[in-house]
Amino acid sequence: MKKRISIILLIVTIGFSSFKSYFHTNDNYNYNYNYKTHLNRIYGQKSRRRVANKEEQGNVIMNFRQFIESLKEKLKTEDYNKLIRLNEELDSALKEDDTERYQEVTSEIFEVISKYGEYLLFIHQKILNGEVLAAFNIVKGDIVVNNHITNKNPSQENIKSYELLWERIKNIIPKSYIGKITDFNIITDGKANVLASVSGIDSIDKKWEINVDKIDSIRENGQLDCNELNNTIIHEFAHILTLNSSQIEGFINPNSDNYQTGTSTTKQNSYLNKFYQRFWKNIYDEWKETNETGDLEEKENFYKKYKNQFVSEYASTNIEEDIAETFTQFVTQDKPKGKSIKEKKILFFYKYRETIELREEIRANLKKLSKHQNKEEVINDLGEFIESIVEKLKFKDFMKLMESYKEMKSAEENQDYDKVNGVYIIINEILEKYDYNLDEVLESIQEQRYLASFNIINGELSINEEMISKEYSKENLRRYQLLWERVKNIIPKSHIERIIKFSIDTDGQNNVMAYVNEEDTTSEDWRLTIDKIDAIKEDDQLNNEELNNTIVHEFGHILTLNNTQVEEGIIEDSINYCTETATTKDNSYLNKFYYKFWKGINEEWIKAQESEEAKRVFYENNIEHFVTEYASTNILEDIAESFTAFVLQDKPKGKNISEKKILFFYDFKETIKMRNEIRENLKKMESLK
């Protein structure tokens, strides 16, 4: 029975920008990369990490060489050969840290590709944005699969998540601009990198695409991760607002004094040109010199020197990111007094009727979404709960709660349970001032993490609508039914009726595959929860061997901890083994197991709980006592692991204590009968060799 951790550290999203794509990151932008790693990401000869969901991968173009090969039939031989040569020169520039040569080669590449039309240039841009999991055209405001980008259609389950994401974008970006977005792509460059980007997909930036990272924006339960997403959408919209065809010329005018992006001259009355003339003209040369050197320390020093001019560190990246970050603050924050330059930048947008109207529209949209979100969005951890009630809290209490939450998380990771308990009391005392109880909050968070919940009626699944009100797709119901049938076909008939609840959840890949817990104080009825990601493989088949072993293990807990084996509560004058909440009965499996195998090492085990190193030493000193390392966690896991070995392995000779623990179960007719039944069940499923 693996302990569930209900407090999860919130990971913030960071990223970077390149070429004509405009990326958004959080305020804690990390400058610790150089142009060499930047080149590696774009043109690296090694494929990027594989997409977690193979179903959606299709034939994804993953680096520039693959891109060239994909165009071989369309290119003239001379252009194909030239691109191959230029690709090699890019490698050389990368190895030699030759920034100037890299820029020259890049220009030559774009020149060759642009001869074959804007669409190929657009495809090339996609290589810069990470792996494309799914691509869509926007038709009459709805998403339609675009098979030109990746050749495999996403599943219906994923389509629903992508539709949810597009609806969020559509419900934030003002109606007067949403029509400029003609393409919507789901990408990924791994967790906590680029959350989203926008790119002009024609020469005058009249049409735009928006790219959103699936891993950073969609949680494992299919719901949106709105912590960063809303602000990111506003930030990306700001790029469209300030760089669209009404704002830029579409070409470089060498005779103009207006601000010039990398590809175009801004118009006289454009937001970006006016922003440049007012806030950047006097520092632009210094910024340019700093960025041309590529020296990270100089960039940091530039930001520190002009810190009062930027709403975030990321805003100092360049003027395009500065105006986008500033616009985001303009929309989401109250009107400042204008004491500093960064506040004056926010006030800049109050001079224009259009931007004031856009602000009002976006804020109204966010308010509508907030009401809907408060009703339906899942809160995944205590930190998110505290943030969700911030308007009800005094600022002092909010800061103390967040500080205490981080302390609790750190103490939990270090297994300092005395510290956990102390901080727990502090958090609960503050929450009680606002009529919240921490136990109830954590229980509610745990329940919300369930992807699906069922009652078991006459051996069959029945949706538990009291716990989860959402509708399940036919595809998911089929998967959950398959899982339940596997459970039902392994656990002996004499005990399967003890399981009255069946839940599906996930804590990510390769963590807790399953666990059981009592549904009442008497330990008569039980709930079994299985992790969807760990139990069901990418090809939709069950993870047979590990899943079967886990089901037997979890049954080992039900067998040894049910109401025929333990008495509710701690009986103080009893000499029998006690769990945290119950006292074992005289002839229970667990009590007999304790006296035979654990009484002599229990004190040593208790001392070993002080640190991870001490636990490791305890296991190594007693390695012959345990059938697996996990069995040394505690006596409850030891008896469950030993029972699993008893069921699945041949009868040992009993040379060491771990083998004697397996032989322990051969002393009972009931467990021998169960072993035979489970093995026969597994044999029918061809899972037992």
Side-chain angles (χ1 to χ4, degrees), residues 31 42 83 127 307 349 443 550 656 671 676:
Y31 282 99
I42 300 166
L83 287 173
I127 302 174
K307 190 173 183 179
F349 291 104
E443 184 178 350
T550 299
N656 56 37
T671 50
N676 293 337

Side-chain angles (χ1 to χ4, degrees), residues 271-444:
Y271 297 122
L272 194 54
N273 184 53
K274 288 184 175 292
F275 195 82
Y276 165 78
Q277 300 293 344
R278 183 168 180 188
F279 301 112
W280 270 79
K281 195 171 183 179
N282 293 334
I283 63 170
Y284 186 76
D285 288 341
E286 183 181 351
W287 169 86
K288 189 175 181 181
E289 184 180 346
T290 299
N291 276 265
E292 283 177 350
T293 64
D295 189 287
L296 299 178
E297 188 175 347
E298 285 192 25
K299 291 180 180 180
E300 289 177 5
N301 289 337
F302 174 82
Y303 169 68
K304 289 176 182 177
K305 181 177 179 180
Y306 297 107
K307 190 173 183 179
N308 73 327
Q309 297 194 23
F310 298 105
V311 295
S312 69
E313 186 171 356
Y314 184 55
S316 68
T317 304
N318 54 50
I319 185 172
E320 287 89 345
E321 298 305 333
D322 188 17
I323 198 169
E325 286 286 88
T326 305
F327 180 82
T328 305
Q329 292 280 311
F330 161 70
V331 170
T332 59
Q333 304 296 321
D334 292 334
K335 187 174 182 178
K337 294 180 179 179
K339 292 181 178 179
S340 62
I341 294 179
K342 63 183 175 184
E343 288 188 350
K344 289 176 181 176
K345 285 181 177 179
I346 296 172
L347 291 177
F348 166 84
F349 291 104
Y350 282 95
K351 293 186 174 183
Y352 303 96
R353 180 180 294 178
E354 182 193 34
T355 50
I356 292 172
E357 289 176 353
L358 292 173
R359 177 181 188 267
E360 291 173 354
E361 184 177 349
I362 295 171
R363 288 172 70 92
N365 292 342
L366 291 172
K367 195 170 184 180
K368 289 176 187 175
L369 288 171
S370 179
K371 289 180 179 178
H372 181 71
Q373 185 176 320
N374 289 338
K375 291 178 181 178
E376 297 190 5
E377 187 179 344
V378 174
I379 293 174
N380 285 278
D381 57 44
L382 182 59
E384 288 186 15
F385 170 77
I386 295 168
E387 289 176 346
S388 74
I389 62 169
V390 62
E391 292 182 1
K392 300 179 182 179
L393 304 173
K394 292 180 180 178
F395 181 74
K396 179 181 176 183
D397 288 336
F398 171 72
M399 295 302 292
K400 182 63 177 175
L401 282 171
M402 291 304 294
E403 179 188 349
S404 299
Y405 159 66
K406 290 174 184 176
E407 286 182 18
M408 179 185 277
K409 179 62 183 174
S410 176
E412 200 170 54
E413 288 173 348
N414 296 325
Q415 296 191 331
D416 184 352
Y417 295 113
D418 287 339
K419 181 69 176 289
V420 170
N421 291 334
V423 178
Y424 185 99
I425 292 169
I426 293 171
I427 293 174
N428 195 47
E429 286 177 350
I430 297 173
L431 289 177
E432 283 182 341
K433 289 161 53 177
Y434 300 92
D435 295 325
Y436 293 105
N437 177 273
L438 185 52
D439 281 336
E440 293 175 358
V441 168
L442 293 178
E443 184 178 350
S444 175

